[in-house]
Amino acid sequence: MTSYRQPGVVLTDHHFSVPLDHGDPSGERIELFAREVVASAKADADLPWLVYLEGGPGFGVRRFIGRQAWLGRALQEFRVLLLDQRGTGLSTPANRQSLPLRGGPREQADYLAHFRADSIVRDCETIRPGLTGGAPWTLLGQSFGGFCATHYLSTAPEGLRTVLITGGLPSLDATADEVYRAAYPRIARKVEAHYARYPQDIGRARRIAEHVAEYRPVLPSGYVLTPEAFQSLGILLGSGDGSHQLHYLLENAFVAAPGGPVLSDAFQEGVAAALSYAGHPLYAVLHEVIYARGGRPTDWAAERVRAEFTRFDAAKALAGEGPLYFTGESIHPWHFESDPALRPLRETAELLAARGDWPALYDTGRLAANEVPVAAVVYHDDMYVDTEHSLRTARAIRGLRTWVTDEYEHDGVRAGAPRVLDRLLALARGED
């Protein structure tokens, strides 16, 4: 372990060895990385633990500096563990560079089948006793981290002192198709709200999409920009300042060149940063299988369901006079053609999409008998997680208290600084 300091905090880096397959504890092992954070003035104190599970799937835990965002509130009373979930951050990596070590696409898909919420929770239970001395800990789960928290409550509630969920109450029974059938209308509402705020972007988006459809530009990063890829910039619209980010990106799209207008370098760099999965490929590869259950393959659900919502058809939009609708929070086969970080993983992703032997993740009977204090913030019309799905799940977990708000978007736990965490702790403790 290595300890060091930032302003106001002491950090300690931990490395853990865990089974790849918890059903075969004597088999292959992988490494997990986690960073312990404690307030400098309390570094030697006997504090309860809070473990944070980042959203995703496939994102390494956020690298905070000092007491940023919600962390300052947590450090008032907790020793915090920031866990890089398996395959992310400094844990044993899983990407286009490392996965060929497993073998071909079939071996890679079999390996990645161990990277869902069930394995992440068993990782937590493997490392918890050594850190806490066996005491249960508080869990803060953001987005997909909340999906993991719900599985944790289903399978190992004895390891939990309190559960706090931000924008991450999953449906307990919806198929991947049903998840995306609920998602597209939400995305449409976000697009319409963006155009109402920035009506000048209606024409800008059409002009960019027409240019992209004609020239199919290849960005300096190697990303092939198609109309569908351009539409996927709508993923920005689910965060608090995302509409503004999208607007500023669109307004800088073109620059005059000797041969006529071309996409500016600044625009191309901004698009590449927003769309590339190089830093988090598992988000794309595992995105739909986090919803899979009960012998039913996901089979590119978002792509199939999109055909039911014709307003998202770029060719039809450009052929008519209506606005171009952005998409977001969905993964499609073309992602594995456009993005150079994903191209080598296309066949692996196809095999995962066709896989049907996924176990159920949630035990409704155990959740109905839950005794762990749970509080969840549900963001009104959250673009990434369906509000009605979340509220149905909230009603199915005994004792869960909800805070439904339109003050924040999906990133409220970060944008709201200490307020969101403070409110959830008060709810869980019956103080609010």
Side-chain angles (χ1 to χ4, degrees):
M1 294 188 298
T2 302
S3 294
Y4 47 99
R5 291 178 180 267
Q6 289 180 354
V9 299
V10 177
L11 311 174
T12 302
D13 291 350
H14 294 268
H15 298 267
F16 307 96
S17 175
V18 299
L20 168 65
D21 179 359
H22 285 279
D24 181 18
S26 63
E28 180 182 353
R29 302 184 75 81
I30 58 174
E31 185 173 274
L32 298 180
F33 172 81
R35 180 164 286 134
E36 173 189 340
V37 190
V38 64
S40 298
K42 300 181 179 182
D44 297 323
D46 183 16
L47 299 171
W49 283 80
L50 180 149
V51 60
Y52 175 65
L53 296 182
E54 186 63 88
F59 283 93
V61 77
R62 193 165 300 272
R63 267 46 180 175
F64 294 105
I65 300 172
R67 298 168 174 258
Q68 289 178 320
W70 57 267
L71 186 58
R73 172 62 184 87
L75 293 176
Q76 293 177 20
E77 56 184 285
F78 295 103
R79 191 176 296 269
V80 175
L81 190 73
L82 304 172
L83 176 66
D84 277 341
Q85 297 164 31
R86 52 173 55 201
T88 74
L90 294 178
S91 296
T92 300
N95 54 41
R96 67 176 177 87
Q97 296 166 304
S98 65
L99 283 170
L101 293 171
R102 313 301 313 176
R106 174 65 63 185
E107 290 76 19
Q108 294 174 31
D110 289 344
Y111 177 73
L112 292 176
H114 298 293
F115 283 67
R116 295 207 307 163
D118 44 3
S119 295
I120 293 167
V121 167
R122 295 193 71 175
D123 288 343
C124 291
E125 278 300 278
T126 298
I127 67 177
R128 177 182 59 84
L131 290 170
T132 72
W137 53 17
T138 293
L139 171 60
L140 173 59
Q142 157 66 10
S143 191
F144 174 68
F147 290 29
C148 296
T150 306
H151 179 76
Y152 214 143
L153 287 166
S154 293
T155 59
E158 66 278 3
L160 299 168
R161 176 184 179 187
T162 306
V163 171
L164 312 170
I165 296 174
T166 57
L169 276 175
S171 171
L172 301 180
D173 56 8
T175 64
D177 286 42
E178 291 166 337
V179 166
Y180 290 105
R181 200 162 282 122
Y184 282 113
R186 298 197 312 276
I187 298 167
R189 289 194 293 272
K190 298 296 183 186
V191 175
E192 290 159 1
H194 174 79
Y195 283 148
R197 178 181 292 118
Y198 293 114
Q200 62 269 49
D201 285 355
I202 298 174
R204 287 172 177 165
R206 283 186 64 91
R207 185 184 176 204
I208 296 166
E210 288 166 352
H211 181 92
V212 168
E214 181 176 358
Y215 295 104
R216 300 280 171 137
V218 179
L219 306 183
S221 65
Y223 194 104
V224 179
L225 191 59
T226 65
E228 291 77 18
F230 172 63
Q231 285 177 283
S232 68
L233 285 171
I235 195 169
L236 296 171
L237 297 176
S239 63
D241 62 357
S243 176
H244 311 300
Q245 291 182 36
L246 180 60
H247 169 69
Y248 290 134
L249 184 59
L250 298 182
E251 73 174 1
N252 195 30
F254 288 103
V255 63
V262 296
L263 296 178
S264 71
D265 284 347
F267 175 78
Q268 293 187 58
E269 285 299 300
V271 169
L275 297 185
S276 173
Y277 287 101
H280 45 282
L282 291 184
Y283 181 93
V285 178
L286 299 178
H287 196 76
E288 291 195 355
V289 303
I290 67 172
Y291 304 112
R293 60 183 180 85
R296 181 180 301 179
T298 58
D299 191 27
W300 299 110
E303 177 72 9
R304 290 184 293 98
V305 172
R306 177 174 169 159
E308 301 173 15
F309 297 89
T310 56
R311 74 180 78 182
F312 291 99
D313 187 317
K316 288 183 179 179
L318 296 179
E321 297 181 356
L324 180 85
Y325 273 73
F326 291 96
T327 58
E329 184 56 9
S330 56
I331 297 297
H332 304 265
W334 57 258
H335 275 104
F336 294 83
E337 299 168 359
S338 284
D339 192 337
L342 297 180
R343 283 178 206 143
L345 303 177
R346 171 63 190 263
E347 192 174 346
T348 300
E350 290 280 5
L351 290 168
L352 286 167
R355 193 176 187 123
D357 58 343
W358 301 106
L361 290 171
Y362 311 116
D363 184 333
T364 55
R366 202 160 190 184
L367 293 173
N370 172 62
E371 295 183 354
V372 177
V374 186
V377 57
V378 177
Y379 302 117
H380 175 70
D381 217 24
D382 188 330
M383 192 177 85
Y384 299 114
V385 179
D386 187 71
T387 301
E388 183 52 40
H389 287 178
S390 293
L391 293 176
R392 283 206 302 268
T393 296
R395 291 190 289 269
I397 301 176
R398 180 175 177 268
L400 186 149
R401 300 191 66 192
T402 55
W403 169 30
V404 182
T405 178
D406 60 3
E407 296 175 74
Y408 305 105
E409 292 286 351
H410 191 72
D411 59 344
V413 72
R414 297 185 290 272
R419 182 166 179 253
V420 171
L421 179 56
D422 196 54
R423 179 75 186 277
L424 289 180
L425 284 167
L427 283 172
R429 293 164 177 170
E431 298 169 357
D432 195 339

